Amino acid sequence: MDVLYFAWVRERIGVPRERVETGAETVAQLVEELRAREPRYEAAFADLSALRVALDQDLADFDASLSGVREVAFFPPMTGG
């Protein structure tokens, strides 16, 4: 699946997107796999309360299923203005 990173998440990880092969069944499990990769991922996903996730461009929770998902995007909460 494609994993996209936006704003400071992208800055910490160092790439805007990547193709990820995963056995994770939920977003939370995917995050744990990513955290285990390298310190930069650990830093980016250190505080999940500061992150939002979208699955195939629809907002989702971290306990959401990845079944059939083609794209996961991680980004900080957005503010209006």
Side-chain angles (χ1 to χ4, degrees):
M1 74 181 53
D2 290 320
V3 180
L4 287 67
Y5 309 107
F6 294 93
W8 57 259
V9 183
R10 177 184 63 233
E11 292 171 9
R12 290 181 187 172
I13 291 175
V15 295
R17 70 183 310 142
E18 62 185 327
R19 186 91 176 138
V20 174
E21 297 296 326
T22 180
E25 295 180 11
T26 66
V27 175
Q29 289 174 358
L30 174 62
V31 167
E32 287 306 311
E33 286 182 10
L34 293 171
R35 277 182 173 160
R37 284 180 159 191
E38 309 176 22
R40 63 187 173 135
Y41 290 92
E42 179 63 37
F45 293 108
D47 181 8
L48 294 186
S49 69
L51 286 175
R52 299 295 177 263
V53 63
L55 304 178
D56 292 331
Q57 301 184 8
D58 290 321
L59 287 176
D61 294 321
F62 283 86
D63 61 353
S65 171
L66 293 175
S67 178
V69 170
R70 295 182 313 263
E71 179 185 273
V72 179
F74 293 102
F75 51 92
M78 293 174 258
T79 59

